[in-house]
Amino acid sequence: MQIALYQPDIPQNTGTILRLCACMDVAAHIIEPAGFAVSDRGFRRAGMDYLDQVNWMRHDSWARFEDWRRETRHRLLLFTTKGATPYLDFRYLPSDILLLGRETAGVPETVSEAADARLVIPIRVGLRSLNVAMAAAMALGEALRQTRSVT
């Protein structure tokens, strides 16, 4: 299981998600350009000393990420407020990549079309969306629940 962040804009959210990945032993991908420098203080503070513990890759563009993904044959699952399938009703595979969009704009249509599935975390009518780090934790929790055996 892996998490990919499409052009994240808020360093604290990205740091929090990378910390989540470190704790859950999940690889992470940052698809550039990000709205902040990796040296950003907020990013480092949110990630704390966990950033050295996470396996993460930076891709300098969507095209480069897609090239890598096609070569490695991973299924891409986009979490979006425009998704048709509730995330709890989906069957995850251990090799899936959970993709989350920009906090301010989501993903462009071309990215959405490239996804193998578009999943939604249902929320109360009239509210816009969850915080991206919260959505990542919910999505990853369900995906891992389905794919990891208890030891």
Side-chain angles (χ1 to χ4, degrees):
M1 195 65 57
Q2 301 177 61
I3 289 182
L5 304 176
Y6 179 83
Q7 299 181 356
D9 351 70
I10 300 175
Q12 294 85 349
N13 285 337
T14 302
T16 298
I17 293 168
L18 291 180
R19 182 176 177 174
L20 170 70
C21 290
C23 290
M24 305 310 326
D25 195 23
V26 169
H29 302 266
I30 296 177
I31 302 164
E32 303 271 4
F36 57 89
V38 173
S39 61
D40 183 279
R41 204 173 69 169
F43 171 70
R44 292 276 170 203
R45 185 173 35 248
M48 295 178 60
D49 55 343
Y50 294 84
L51 296 179
D52 294 335
Q53 301 298 314
V54 66
N55 174 19
W56 62 296
M57 292 176 61
R58 292 170 65 186
H59 303 270
D60 65 9
S61 68
W62 169 252
R64 292 273 174 90
F65 172 79
E66 269 296 270
D67 289 346
W68 171 85
R69 185 177 76 88
R70 284 193 194 107
E71 278 180 28
T72 57
R73 298 178 173 230
H74 290 285
R75 190 168 66 161
L76 186 65
L77 312 179
L78 174 63
F79 286 79
T80 172
T81 58
K82 299 171 187 158
T85 305
Y87 83 113
L88 293 173
D89 295 341
F90 191 78
R91 273 321 250 163
Y92 299 88
L93 300 174
S95 59
D96 286 340
I97 297 174
L98 313 179
L99 175 64
L100 295 113
R102 296 184 75 155
E103 293 90 342
T104 57
V107 299
E109 192 60 33
T110 54
V111 172
S112 181
E113 290 170 359
D116 297 295
R118 284 162 288 290
L119 308 176
V120 63
I121 298 172
I123 62 173
R124 195 171 104 200
V125 174
L127 298 180
R128 216 173 39 251
S129 64
L130 292 167
N131 171 282
V132 71
M134 191 63 80
M138 292 175 69
L140 182 60
E142 177 60 17
L144 292 178
R145 183 191 71 79
Q146 287 187 25
T147 61
R148 286 190 176 169
S149 59
V150 178
T151 55

